[in-house]
Amino acid sequence: MHTLVSFLGRGRDNPQTGYRQATYRFPDGSTETTAYFGLALTRHLAPDRLVLLGTVGSMWDVLVENLPGIGGEDDALRLALMDAVAAQRVDQPLLDRVAPLVERALGRPVQLLCIPFGRDAAEQRAILDAIAKAAPNGQVSLDLTHGFRHLPMLGLLSAFVLDGLGRQVAGLYYGALDMSADGIAPVLRLDGLIAVQRWVDALASFEASGDYGLFAPLLERDGVPADKARCLQEAAFFERTFNVADAARRLRTFLPVLDAPLVGASGLFQNRLKERLAWVSEADLAAQQRKLAFEYLKRGDYVRAVIFGYEGLITRLCIQRGLKSPEPAERIQVAEEFRCELRAGEHADHTREAFRTLSYLRNALAHGTPPDAKRLRHLLQDAQALREEIEACLNRLLS
């Protein structure tokens, strides 16, 4: 099911046709001459159904008068529509009566919707809701050409809403009459704005989750090989299982993709993506774990922050002891040796307290077990205090 959504404005450039006659050239080179771009787009796209939105004063009457096949038997309804438009009191029941005339002329199902002017937030939400309900499934194309100046903006926003709801937005069209040359107005496709919005959404989700896999399908759409894009999804998996070494290896395989300019919307966000992957360039595994600890702390993911911080410390201790690729048993042994050193007073008091706090928080957050110390129980009741304490521990242990 392919639905075309269009807006009907109040243009009166021509007393008979409302909008002035114009010839539009579509991206495939074909042309259509019409006084209302929405009708030309309907003929061009041949959608399964048309949804036409307008206000109480939109030129519904002029639209009907210029449709083929409107006969004298429809005079009473046409006159009622003309009177309602003149008085700016068109309502939904009247449009429901008019819709069969438009369907008969266009040869496809048509839904005429009376929408508010969008004067405030409530009316603007009502318009977005109307569009979402009018296109419940399948493909959706939107004509952003007509209406009050702000209605095309709402139409564009509705495309973002529909995309977020899982609808397939097939195309965004704008009949650029003001760009006419030699009597021909180009038809612009604004689909690229959907791709930009998807990147904006993916970046926002990444900032909250740290999931690189969100970028993989966006990069593939812009021509990045699937095997390279898949590295981001694999890196995200390994990072979530605290396998930083394999996560870094996958990202290093992907990073050369960013050395050349990317096409499409991906190019706009290429440098931002590089910034998000910068932790891979840290000197060693300990430094990478430290970087990730602070990144997750920034996101409010306290569990990962303390685990990466703790593991970063143990990795650093292993490196200092000449263990560059320690086995799990060796890491456990190094951690126990460090505890013995702390008990023996071989390190500063603030180091001992920071390690004890980080260890207790790690156990409490990972296992859901409240710590015995009152001070630590208080931290788990205060987000700001917890964030500050974890940051202080990371700085003391990993600086």
Side-chain angles (χ1 to χ4, degrees):
M1 175 72 71
H2 181 194
T3 300
L4 171 61
V5 177
S6 182
F7 292 92
L8 186 64
R10 295 179 60 187
R12 294 290 172 179
D13 292 331
N14 185 301
Q16 280 76 45
T17 64
Y19 296 122
R20 70 179 184 267
Q21 197 89 348
T23 299
Y24 294 93
R25 177 179 287 122
F26 288 89
D28 64 0
S30 62
T31 59
E32 290 273 358
T33 299
T34 181
Y36 173 47
F37 176 68
L39 293 181
L41 187 58
T42 300
R43 289 191 292 268
H44 179 76
L45 295 178
D48 298 303
R49 56 193 294 268
L50 172 66
V51 176
L52 190 54
L53 301 97
T55 66
V56 294
S58 292
M59 56 176 194
W60 301 102
D61 54 339
V62 176
L63 171 71
V64 170
E65 291 300 307
N66 284 274
L67 289 172
I70 303 297
E73 70 275 13
D74 305 314
D75 283 350
L77 183 54
R78 289 158 56 199
L79 289 173
L81 183 61
M82 292 173 63
D83 290 342
V85 170
Q88 295 196 40
R89 54 177 176 79
V90 174
D91 58 19
Q92 192 58 51
L94 177 58
L95 292 181
D96 290 342
R97 291 167 57 201
V98 172
L101 304 186
V102 184
E103 288 185 349
R104 188 176 69 205
L106 298 182
R108 57 180 42 80
V110 173
Q111 186 175 8
L112 308 180
L113 292 177
C114 188
I115 59 173
F117 289 101
R119 289 167 290 202
D120 55 30
E123 288 190 353
Q124 292 156 16
R125 287 193 298 270
I127 294 171
L128 295 176
D129 186 55
I131 295 173
K133 289 179 178 177
N137 49 54
Q139 293 184 323
V140 185
S141 294
L142 290 104
D143 167 22
L144 306 178
T145 308
H146 296 291
F148 290 117
R149 294 297 183 187
H150 66 294
L151 288 185
M153 290 190 288
L154 288 173
L156 178 60
L157 182 58
S158 74
F160 300 155
V161 172
L162 291 170
D163 189 62
L165 293 174
R167 313 286 200 276
Q168 182 181 351
V169 179
L172 303 178
Y173 296 87
Y174 183 81
L177 190 59
D178 292 340
M179 295 175 62
S180 296
D182 300 324
I184 304 294
V187 176
L188 308 182
R189 291 200 64 166
L190 305 177
D191 307 27
L193 298 177
I194 291 287
V196 172
Q197 181 62 34
R198 286 172 180 157
W199 263 98
V200 171
D201 289 343
L203 280 170
S205 297
F206 172 76
E207 294 298 344
S209 68
D211 182 4
Y212 315 110
L214 295 165
F215 304 120
L218 305 180
L219 291 164
E220 280 194 60
R221 286 192 186 101
D222 286 339
V224 173
D227 61 324
K228 297 296 185 183
R230 190 165 56 248
C231 287
L232 292 176
Q233 295 171 322
E234 294 171 349
F237 167 75
F238 286 125
E239 187 179 309
R240 271 165 170 63
T241 55
F242 302 102
N243 185 349
V244 175
D246 281 334
R249 274 191 283 271
R250 294 298 190 278
L251 292 179
R252 289 194 191 98
T253 301
F254 168 78
L255 280 172
V257 170
L258 302 181
D259 291 338
L262 298 178
V263 302
S266 297
L268 294 175
F269 299 93
Q270 184 168 353
N271 289 335
R272 187 68 62 85
L273 183 55
K274 279 185 178 180
E275 294 171 4
R276 298 305 186 268
L277 303 181
W279 67 266
V280 179
S281 63
E282 294 291 332
D284 53 35
L285 178 60
Q288 291 171 348
Q289 290 170 321
R290 177 187 185 279
K291 181 73 171 179
L292 288 172
F294 280 104
E295 287 294 327
Y296 279 106
L297 181 61
K298 188 189 306 180
R299 296 185 185 107
D301 190 337
Y302 305 117
V303 176
R304 283 188 168 83
V306 297
I307 291 177
F308 277 121
Y310 180 88
E311 296 302 326
L313 172 64
I314 303 305
T315 300
R316 174 184 289 183
L317 293 171
C318 288
I319 293 173
Q320 292 171 350
R321 286 160 171 75
L323 300 171
K324 293 186 177 181
S325 299
E327 296 294 328
E330 292 175 312
R331 292 180 64 87
I332 293 173
Q333 181 181 345
V334 168
E336 185 55 38
E337 290 173 356
F338 184 64
R339 290 188 181 91
C340 292
E341 293 171 3
L342 292 173
R343 288 193 292 269
E346 297 180 21
H347 298 278
D349 290 346
H350 65 79
T351 300
R352 182 179 64 254
E353 287 304 314
F355 181 77
R356 180 182 297 170
T357 298
L358 194 67
S359 298
Y360 284 152
L361 288 176
R362 173 174 172 264
N363 292 334
L365 292 171
H367 303 295
T369 305
D372 294 332
K374 182 178 180 180
R375 184 181 71 88
L376 297 181
R377 290 199 301 273
H378 168 72
L379 290 177
L380 298 180
Q381 301 296 318
D382 187 329
Q384 183 63 30
L386 178 61
R387 180 189 298 271
E388 292 174 354
E389 185 65 29
I390 293 174
E391 183 175 11
C393 289
L394 296 178
N395 282 324
R396 287 170 187 157
L397 295 171
L398 301 176
S399 295

